[in-house]
Amino acid sequence: METLRLLNIIEKNARAEITDLAAILNETEKDVADKLTDLETANIICGYHTVINWDKTNTERVNAIIEVKAIPERETGYDNIASHIYKYPEVETCYLMSGSCEFMVIVKGKTMQEVANFVGRKLAPIQGVAGTTTHFMLKCYKFEGVVLESEEEKNERMLITP
Amino acid sequence: MIDVKELNPIVVNCPPSGIRKFFDLARAVEGVISLGVGEPDFPTPWDIREEAIVAIEKAKTFYTPNQGLPELRDEICNYVKRRFDLEYTRENVLVTVGGSEAIDIIFRTLLCDGDEVIVLTPGYVAYEPCIKLARGIPVCVELKEENNFRLMKEDLEKAITPKTKAILMNFPGNPTGGIMRKEDYAEIIPLIKQHGLYVVSDEIYAELTYEGTHTSIAAFDEIKDHVLVINGFSKAYSMTGWRLGYILADKELIALLNKVHQYAIMCAPTISQYAAIAALRRCDEEVVQMKQSFEQRRNFLVNSLNKIGLETHFPEGAFYVFPCIKSTGLTSDEFCERLLKEYKVAVVPGSAFGKEGEGYIRISYAYSIEQIKVAVERIGLFLESLKENN
């Protein structure tokens, strides 16, 4: 089975049914199901998420990208500091970066104040963290390959063409 | 009052396209889901659209040389070398208004009154009318399902007469999805050479070849000077509305074709030509991704049709399946009309592609998996209803 092809399909549509995946990949349902289990066990598939445009719901929600400068530790480098950062549930995403900062952290909160409190009281005091720069996100246009609100019209093709 | 009898009888007697008739029927049905189109559903890649916007902003809005922008023709040569290993230079390229113009001007250039052209059927709807309008005589050779809709040497041999001027081929083919491999062409090349036939090879679906890569008949050096390749941007780059195609041929032929083209058309749309340069330079990856999508949809459609009992083989190219529906006892027209009216799915009767297509239907998979799924479910219900009534 072409594993990459399977991953590419479910990366775009986590809800694809096994029956459909089998038909698309020209494989048996059992083989597809087994392969998915293998990929989950191997932590290659790490979760199945939904892309939600929270701006269209009436929830209070802010996201911030935080640049974190850090000083590496002997033996563990940045990994230990990272784990102190990413274990906070406020942290949605955490990357080790090249460039002017060491970590790029995406944090969610209900209000700007809440995010500011997280940065000031939890993130900045972590040992090894040398500084932070917080950027609040104002609007999400595209997320995980999905344009949230396309200005392009849904262009219908003609019903039948030669 | 117009007296059509005094007008061109070839036009007056030309039957309207069977597709057109079916289009009118389908338009009248509410909530119809169509698997009936012959164009990709992907929006043109953004890189290409942006290039067109820039062309407009920079006022690149004048006529181009008749034959097409030199840099576009150079890029076309690079492309066919890279993808199909064909050697051409810009003198061998004529940029046209889609593959459609190419078909028209080729036959107007090649044919003398009464010349015969071998046409493979079932085939694309425009071929026979264009040959007739150029005062040629189409001679049909049937592509058979048992041969995977390939052209067989013995069938070709039987159709050749002293009046045969050319043969028109379309692989990967609409509506059958059939392709010709190198070894298939090798069988017929000596025959073509022996009779000095021109080969008009419409390779517009070349990029949509699923197992292995496309073989162009122009790759056979022994007949290359008599081969006219038609290709374009519509199917590979999802650019149907941009109306841009091209012909690759011997430069003396191109010079003649260009005479018809310059008086009839002047030049292909300038903005589309600039956009096409971007397509050729920067969009190989998008082409591959669209092809992979089509392949997945093909698998899904074929497996789903087989599951509901409509036996279908895997076509090797284009984006159509062409299953046989003779076991239902219905004609293609009856099948499609009832499917449309009773279950609201539009597919195209095989008979629209020549009488040899009778007993088949063309189902396009240029649709999302979700749309194909709903349509196949409805087709399944229709087949069941037919069984119950028998």
Side-chain angles (χ1 to χ4, degrees), chain B residues 147-362:
Chain B
N147 301 324
N148 290 329
F149 300 110
R150 286 170 304 167
L151 173 60
M152 306 307 282
K153 183 186 169 195
E154 49 281 14
D155 294 334
L156 174 61
E157 198 158 22
K158 273 184 250 165
I160 296 174
T161 76
K163 287 186 173 171
T164 308
K165 174 66 82 51
I167 170 166
L168 169 54
M169 292 194 238
N170 168 222
F171 295 104
N174 177 6
T176 66
I179 67 162
M180 292 279 277
R181 298 268 177 216
K182 196 169 182 192
E183 56 272 24
D184 301 320
Y185 279 131
E187 288 283 314
I188 60 170
I189 297 294
L191 208 53
I192 290 167
K193 171 99 182 147
Q194 178 196 337
H195 292 274
L197 304 183
Y198 287 93
V199 178
V200 182
S201 184
D202 181 353
E203 300 178 13
I204 195 80
Y205 292 98
E207 287 285 2
L208 301 175
T209 301
Y210 299 112
E211 281 89 23
T213 51
H214 170 76
T215 300
S216 172
I217 193 164
F220 290 84
D221 286 337
E222 56 270 49
I223 59 162
K224 189 179 174 190
D225 60 345
H226 273 51
V227 173
L228 300 95
V229 176
I230 300 171
N231 206 331
F233 296 85
S234 294
K235 317 291 178 178
Y237 295 91
S238 204
M239 290 177 70
T240 47
W242 301 69
R243 308 311 304 128
L244 206 65
Y246 51 88
I247 303 169
L248 302 169
D250 179 272
K251 65 180 182 200
E252 278 181 66
L253 277 173
I254 290 289
L256 293 171
L257 292 160
N258 194 30
K259 282 201 224 173
V260 185
H261 172 75
Q262 71 185 342
Y263 293 128
I265 301 287
M266 182 75 86
C267 68
T270 302
I271 294 153
S272 298
Q273 290 193 54
Y274 280 106
I277 294 172
L280 295 168
R281 284 186 185 157
R282 304 202 290 267
C283 293
D284 281 9
E285 181 56 30
E286 278 86 346
V287 172
V288 170
Q289 279 183 10
M290 287 191 271
K291 173 182 151 176
Q292 282 179 357
S293 267
F294 279 126
E295 188 176 359
Q296 291 169 8
R297 293 153 169 207
R298 175 196 68 155
N299 293 350
F300 183 75
L301 176 61
V302 171
N303 286 318
S304 305
L305 289 173
N306 282 322
K307 245 181 248 175
I308 60 167
L310 189 62
E311 199 193 320
T312 310
H313 303 288
F314 282 90
E316 292 175 276
F319 42 64
Y320 311 104
V321 300
F322 200 63
C324 179
I325 49 96
K326 288 174 188 165
S327 62
T328 62
L330 302 177
T331 66
S332 300
D333 261 359
E334 288 165 350
F335 185 98
C336 294
E337 231 177 290
R338 286 187 55 185
L339 178 61
L340 176 65
K341 287 182 178 158
E342 295 168 27
Y343 290 87
K344 301 190 176 190
V345 177
V347 298
V348 183
S351 50
F353 303 95
K355 66 179 194 314
E356 293 78 3
E358 178 51 51
Y360 294 82
I361 56 172
R362 188 193 77 174

Side-chain angles (χ1 to χ4, degrees), chain A residues 2 5 8-9 13 17 19-27 29 152 154 157-162, chain B residues 19 22 26 34 36-41 49 125 174 292 295-296 299-300 303 314 362 366-367 373:
Chain A
E2 289 179 69
R5 195 166 269 206
N8 281 329
I9 297 167
N13 179 13
E17 291 170 30
T19 328
D20 296 347
L21 288 171
I24 290 167
L25 296 165
N26 224 2
E27 304 278 353
E29 290 179 26
E152 282 177 25
K154 192 168 179 294
R157 290 170 293 168
M158 293 201 291
L159 277 175
I160 293 176
T161 51
Chain B
I19 295 236
F22 212 70
S34 173
V37 305
E39 61 178 326
D41 57 328
R49 287 189 277 159
V125 297
N174 177 6
Q292 282 179 357
E295 188 176 359
Q296 291 169 8
N299 293 350
F300 183 75
N303 286 318
F314 282 90
R362 188 193 77 174
Y367 292 90
K373 197 172 175 178

